[in-house]
Amino acid sequence: MLTEPPLLTTAPPPPSLTDPILIIGGAGTFGLSTAWHLAQRGYANITCLDRFPFPSKDSAGYDCNKMARSEYNPDSTTKPDQVIHRLSQEALKAWRENHLLRGTFHETGRISIASSTENYEELREYYTELQAGPRAKDVKWFDSPAELKQFAPYLTGELANAKAVFNPEGGWVYAKEAMQRVGEECKRLGVKFVSGGAGTVREFIFASSQIDNDDDDDKTSPPNSSRIIGVRCQDGTTHPAAHTILAAGAWSPTLLSLQSQLISKCWTLAHIPITNPTERALLKDIPVILDLEKGFFFEPETATGLVKICNEFPGFTRWVDDMSVPDAAGVLHKQRISVPRGHGSHPTDGIPTRSTQEIHDLLRLLKPEWADPETYPLQDVKMCWCTDTPDREFLVCSHPHISSLTLATGASGHGFKMLPTIGDYVADLVEGRRLEAALESAWRWRPDAGERPGDGTRPGAGGDLGDVGGWRRGEDERARG
Ligand SMILES: Cc1cc2nc3c(=O)[nH]c(=O)nc-3n(C[C@H](O)[C@H](O)[C@H](O)COP(=O)(O)OP(=O)(O)OC[C@H]3O[C@@H](n4cnc5c(N)ncnc54)[C@H](O)[C@@H]3O)c2cc1C
């Protein structure tokens, strides 16, 4: 049973500009953004802790490119919420205008393709909405493969039954490069970065756990309040904190009980090399290509000629039955959670056979010549870990039971585009400000909202990594490690 302290009824005093602030996952997407915004507000004692230096190789953002959508639609083309739509527009504005990020954003637009009756309807609604937007005259509807191919001749596949929409707004960002620049800017503003054993957080240090250190019998009654006063890292190093921000992405639920609000899952991706300069030139500046049923790809990366391809699927979990995780009072409980196995920490991992097949299925549909592994071998394959809330809204709020802890997690597979802006909201929370009502409601602590992902029965989940083969490259694929 969890020994939760009571709900905090008054906001704790915010940290002063010189108090120590720790950001766990500080070399990842939300962590870097938070450090950047806090440092711009004058906080002078910020430490970013991470397993890797920025951009962290375990981060979901450690990638050549990510989509920056103009609309906010986590589930393909579902109708966007107006507040969240505004957030996406705000992020796009920052990608276009922020001097630090100049050149990392490529506003190529996006082609969304549907091939089933069910998705036609969604696509049509999406098109109608875009027609009411500011770029309506450049939005296009393609009613047949022939119409689509006229606009996008590089789509050489049969595209049977395809209907499509071109949205000229948004595009893609050079993700790793953007994170690198934000990290450099943080350093320039005085943020400290600690990585390796001294930056990999093992546990929180609770004020109460210091007091109760030797009194295990007393741990069943909830303490009056709970406060985190620092963290202990893998090599034993401790870091004191007046305020802590948990931004550890898919690893967040391994460090603190989040009461099954988050489920961590991995998605899979691969690259193919485009070595022919003429082919590369033809593909320069093409829109992001998103098939709603099968996946998406981007134009070749300028420096390497690699095309990144992702298959569309619900993600793999990696359940561990008896993970010891502290509750809000610092008391450890065994929990069943999905534990990530990051690419940075396990660089020899491949992707499941099923994912390789799905990536080839996508290519056969849209660009069959790329499905020939002799000419276009899949390379740099990897699994990328994110953490989802049941409703796919972020978990960005003050912890309701622990003073001095802000949560900046639950990015739900669509958080990268918020790199320039999410930290501004987290910084507001650190300063004890309330977010506007709609955001406060969407991003709140909500253990009782919707389905419970922690029970492993979430509909649509792609299965457990332990049950699929091909990714361990020679090791025992069923083993945990
Ligand atoms: C295949 C794929 C494609 C995607 N495409 C898009 C897209 O096109 N557009 C988009 O907007 N989003 C996209 N996303 C989602 C986006 O990448 C994530 O939502 C976002 O990057 C998550 O940010 P985060 O800060 O929560 O986590 P991360 O960026 O993963 O950061 C977590 C950090 O915590 C660190 N960490 C972990 N454990 C510890 C510890 N114990 N101590 C210290 N540090 C620790 C990690 O090293 C990491 O740096 C995609 C995700 C995937 C997997």
Side-chain angles (χ1 to χ4, degrees), residues 64-68 92 95-96 101-110 168-175 177 181 284-288 298-299 302:
C64 53
N65 39 33
K66 295 284 187 201
M67 278 185 254
L92 268 190
W95 283 111
R96 289 183 188 121
L101 300 169
R102 191 158 296 148
T104 60
F105 176 47
H106 300 257
E107 191 144 23
T108 55
R110 189 178 84 242
E169 262 205 316
W172 60 272
V173 293
Y174 188 16
E177 169 66 17
R181 290 198 202 170
K284 178 116 188 67
D285 296 332
I286 62 166
V288 177
F298 298 78
E299 68 176 89
T302 310

Side-chain angles (χ1 to χ4, degrees), residues 24-25 27-31 49-52 56 58-61 66-67 199-201 247-249 251 255 267 269 296 308 310 384-386 411 413-417:
I24 304 174
T29 316
F30 281 18
L49 302 173
D50 206 293
R51 194 170 284 124
F52 292 101
S56 165
D58 264 353
S59 162
K66 295 284 187 201
M67 278 185 254
T200 304
V201 174
W251 287 262
L255 293 170
W267 278 265
L269 60 105
F296 53 96
K308 183 181 114 177
C310 294
C384 166
W385 285 87
C386 289
H414 54 96
F416 191 83
K417 64 177 166 299

